[in-house]
């Protein structure tokens, strides 16, 4: 566990240091994603509340959105934007799905704030929650593909 | 674990200093935002340490931090959109733009 935390810290520091070296703004913004993911990983290893980890992953989503906006502002990246949206939908959906399936309901929660999985399983049950997440993920994918097809581009 | 804590403190401080350096030295809007995000990541890393002693307090601070960071990102994204609409390039440095004018 110590080695894993150290490795994640090195990843976070290295990806942030890469921002100083990289000249391309979009690539520099992309360097923030592994750093944020590494910090979420450290939070996971230190038994942080699952709710907080979900919030951190939502923050990763915000950073990804920021990268898309940054890429929109730079002319040379415009042709790749639509493809990037599909990739974002896939990655975000996969992360949320993994989170829903892998986070144990009891071990990660702290007394004052119940974990997201606990709250959801108390209402509808763990599997129903996972199925809903899967459906949302598939709907996002379908929407992204429909949007691409409307514009006459191949996904 | 003590070594890990020390390393966590050093890494979080390093991230905050790096972020402040990037934000202060750059003259592009994007780079300023990247610097601010790096500072936020350093702050979150330091909150991880607080969690082991005061979980509820650290959770509250994390919520405030995330709210601030997301609000800041949304404001900056709005600014970038506005700039692009007005014909500026968000990656154009301020110096370059003033020289053009």
């Amino acid at each position: 566990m110590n080695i894993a935390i150290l490795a994640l810290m090195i990843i976070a520091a290295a990806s942030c240091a890469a921002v100083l070296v990289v000249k391309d703004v979009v690539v520099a913004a992309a360097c923030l994603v592994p750093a944020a993911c590494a910090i979420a990983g450290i939070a996971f290893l230190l038994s942080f509340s699952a709710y907080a980890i979900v919030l951190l992953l939502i923050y990763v989503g915000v950073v990804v959105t920021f990268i898309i906006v940054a890429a929109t502002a730079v002319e040379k990246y415009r042709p790749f934007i639509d493809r990037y949206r599909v990739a974002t939908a896939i990655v975000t959906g996969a992360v949320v799905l993994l989170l829903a399936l892998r986070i144990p309901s009891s071990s990660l929660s702290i007394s004052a704030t119940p974990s997201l999985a606990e709250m959801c399983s108390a209402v509808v049950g763990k599997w129903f929650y996972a199925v809903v997440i899967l459906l949302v993920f598939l709907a996002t994918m379908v929407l992204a593909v429909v949007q691409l097809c409307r514009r006459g581009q191949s996904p | 674990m003590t070594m890990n804590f020390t390393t966590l403190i050093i890494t979080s401080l390093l991230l905050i200093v790096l972020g402040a350096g990037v934000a202060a030295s750059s003259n592009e809007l994007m780079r300023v935002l990247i610097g601010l995000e790096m500072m936020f990541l350093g702050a979150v890393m330091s909150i991880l340490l607080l969690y082991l002693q005061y979980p509820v307090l650290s959770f509250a601070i994390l919520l405030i931090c995330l709210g601030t960071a997301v609000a800041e990102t949304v404001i900056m994204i709005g600014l970038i959109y506005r700039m692009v609409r007005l014909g500026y390039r968000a990656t154009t440095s301020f110096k370059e733009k003033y020289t053009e004018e």
Side-chain angles (χ1 to χ4, degrees):
Chain A
M1 187 178 147
N2 281 345
I3 296 168
I5 292 176
L6 270 174
L8 286 171
M9 275 191 286
I10 290 167
I11 289 170
S15 55
C16 282
V19 172
L20 296 172
V21 183
V22 172
K23 283 185 179 174
D24 197 308
V25 172
V26 177
V27 181
C31 288
L32 290 174
V33 176
C37 286
I39 288 172
I42 295 170
F44 184 83
L45 290 176
L46 288 175
S47 302
F48 216 71
S49 160
Y51 205 25
I53 295 171
V54 171
L55 284 173
L56 275 173
L57 288 171
I58 290 171
Y59 172 73
V60 174
V62 171
V63 171
V64 170
T65 316
F66 161 62
I67 295 166
I68 293 171
V69 173
T72 316
V74 180
E75 285 82 3
K76 68 172 177 179
Y77 286 109
R78 276 186 191 151
F80 303 103
I81 294 289
D82 287 321
R83 241 177 256 174
Y84 198 78
R85 270 185 197 151
V86 176
T88 311
I90 293 169
V91 171
T92 314
V95 165
V96 174
L97 190 66
L98 276 174
L99 207 68
L101 292 174
R102 295 296 296 168
I103 287 184
S105 57
S106 57
S107 62
L108 288 176
S109 63
I110 53 173
S111 57
T113 50
S115 73
L116 195 65
E118 247 179 7
M119 286 191 295
C120 293
S121 62
V123 182
V124 285
K126 196 176 173 184
W127 284 107
F128 183 81
Y129 171 56
V131 168
V132 168
I133 297 285
L134 181 65
L135 286 177
V136 170
F137 168 57
L138 287 176
T140 317
M141 282 293 299
V142 169
L143 276 174
V145 172
V146 166
Q147 196 187 4
L148 285 181
C149 291
R150 271 189 185 171
R151 291 183 184 178
Q153 293 170 355
S154 108
Chain B
M1 286 299 269
T2 321
M3 194 192 90
N4 265 346
F5 295 152
T6 319
T7 326
L8 260 177
I9 293 170
I10 293 168
T11 317
S12 55
L13 274 174
L14 189 75
L15 288 190
I16 292 172
V17 170
L18 270 178
V22 169
S25 64
S26 60
N27 50 7
E28 294 173 14
L29 190 59
M30 292 285 194
R31 293 241 176 222
V32 173
L33 183 51
I34 290 169
L36 291 174
E37 296 301 327
M38 273 169 67
M39 286 176 76
F40 162 75
L41 288 178
V44 168
M45 206 179 242
S46 57
I47 289 171
L48 295 182
L49 286 173
L50 190 68
Y51 171 75
L52 297 172
Q53 288 281 324
Y54 309 99
V56 180
L57 177 70
S58 70
F59 186 72
I61 296 174
L62 182 73
L63 273 182
I64 295 167
C65 267
L66 275 170
T68 314
V70 170
E72 163 228 312
T73 312
V74 168
I75 290 168
M76 292 293 249
I77 285 173
L79 265 175
I80 290 166
Y81 260 126
R82 188 84 182 149
M83 280 176 70
V84 171
R85 268 191 169 187
L86 289 171
Y88 286 80
R89 282 184 295 134
T91 49
T92 309
S93 67
F94 300 128
K95 195 179 168 186
E96 200 179 322
K97 184 68 198 169
Y98 290 138
T99 319
E100 277 173 19
E101 281 173 355

